[in-house]
Amino acid sequence: RKEVEQDPGPFNVPEGATVAFNCTYSNSASQSFFWYRQDCRKEPKLLMSVYSSGNEDGRFTAQLNRASQYISLLIRDSKLSDSATYLCVVNIDEAGRRALTFGSGTRLQVQP
Amino acid sequence: DTGVSQNPRHKITKRGQNVTFRCDPISEHNRLYWYRQTLGQGPEFLTYFQNEAQLEKSRLLSDRFSAERPKGSFSTLEIQRTEQGDSAMYLCASSSPRGSANRLTEAFFGQGTRLTVV
């Protein structure tokens, strides 16, 4: 099992659609969780942190399920500018190293 | 510009040569990370510094790779005897001293150094 597992996609959705990404992580000791966004040939940028109680930032909602070791990201009312790769991140890898550990990313393509 | 700065942005080298990359983190950030990223993959962790101490190293960091952060500010990543498989984007990130060892804060990335080994 990969340390941080994501469906690679691509997810092709029309503008205005709601889309959800899932992510599972292997080390239950992880305590920090994030979603990053990466545009083609650019560096990853923080989209949002993920809190135990779930959190929302505009059209974006993140949820954490510690029991299932599962993180989700929901994007409502998709915009063309949301097209990117979304990376799930946890803070402790499978070997117990304290390091921000990234999934391979889920690619989103929003179409007009 | 007060973000994370990496130099050079691009490096083309012949197989067998040594290369060194530099990262200047955000000034108040005491944590610094190095990652490697290839096409279609997420960033792969290489190593992590807290101040000048190298606290974590990935098994990906073979004997040919070494990283330093001598004064707890900028860091260098050296690759000796480069191989074609080393071709990748090398990303540096830094994060603030908030949080704890087990609850890391978000990291901010530089634009990376793209290495091509020919």
Side-chain angles (χ1 to χ4, degrees):
Chain A
R1 182 181 173 187
K2 287 185 182 177
E3 295 175 300
V4 181
E5 196 149 5
Q6 297 183 250
D7 183 339
F11 283 58
N12 296 303
V13 302
E15 271 187 291
T18 295
V19 61
F21 305 139
N22 302 320
C23 166
T24 56
Y25 60 95
S26 61
N27 194 327
S28 60
S30 292
Q31 295 188 34
S32 300
F33 308 91
F34 309 96
W35 283 101
Y36 276 71
R37 171 197 168 124
Q38 187 170 27
D39 293 292
C40 189
R41 303 184 77 81
K42 298 283 191 180
E43 74 275 19
K45 293 187 177 177
L46 179 69
L47 179 66
M48 58 197 303
S49 301
V50 185
Y51 304 121
S52 296
S53 54
N55 48 300
E56 188 174 306
D57 183 1
R59 298 182 293 109
F60 299 85
T61 300
Q63 296 280 349
L64 169 64
N65 184 323
R66 285 186 186 273
S68 301
Q69 295 177 210
Y70 170 98
I71 306 162
S72 66
L73 176 68
L74 184 77
I75 305 175
R76 289 181 298 279
D77 188 24
S78 300
K79 312 290 185 192
L80 293 175
S81 58
D82 293 334
S83 297
T85 296
Y86 291 82
L87 299 159
C88 174
V89 187
V90 305
N91 77 306
I92 297 181
D93 70 9
E94 199 165 57
R97 281 183 289 258
R98 295 158 294 163
L100 296 180
T101 303
F102 286 73
S104 294
T106 298
R107 194 154 63 90
L108 171 65
Q109 185 66 48
V110 181
Q111 295 163 337
Chain B
D1 186 355
T2 57
V4 178
S5 176
Q6 290 189 247
N7 288 289
R9 293 288 307 277
H10 302 274
K11 178 72 177 177
I12 299 174
T13 190
K14 289 184 179 178
R15 191 172 51 188
Q17 298 294 304
N18 299 344
V19 294
T20 299
F21 310 141
R22 177 178 170 127
C23 172
D24 287 89
I26 294 171
S27 60
E28 65 269 23
H29 285 186
N30 68 334
R31 295 178 179 141
L32 187 147
Y33 305 85
W34 284 99
Y35 290 86
R36 180 176 72 183
Q37 188 173 26
T38 53
L39 197 63
Q41 299 298 315
E44 295 177 289
F45 170 72
L46 293 177
T47 191
Y48 160 52
F49 290 86
Q50 183 161 303
N51 300 310
E52 65 276 6
Q54 189 173 23
L55 295 187
E56 303 283 7
K57 286 174 64 172
S58 163
R59 63 184 182 279
L60 292 174
L61 214 68
S62 73
D63 291 345
R64 296 186 299 107
F65 287 69
S66 62
E68 294 183 341
R69 195 181 182 200
K71 296 182 181 178
S73 56
F74 74 91
S75 176
T76 57
L77 177 69
E78 181 183 17
I79 309 174
Q80 296 181 326
R81 304 181 304 280
T82 51
E83 301 172 356
Q84 286 188 315
D86 297 332
S87 295
M89 176 72 85
Y90 289 84
L91 292 162
C92 175
S94 69
S95 66
S96 80
R98 291 184 295 110
S100 65
N102 291 326
R103 193 177 290 274
L104 299 174
T105 55
E106 66 272 16
F108 297 86
F109 282 83
Q111 293 181 300
T113 295
R114 184 169 296 282
L115 173 67
T116 302
V117 182
V118 298

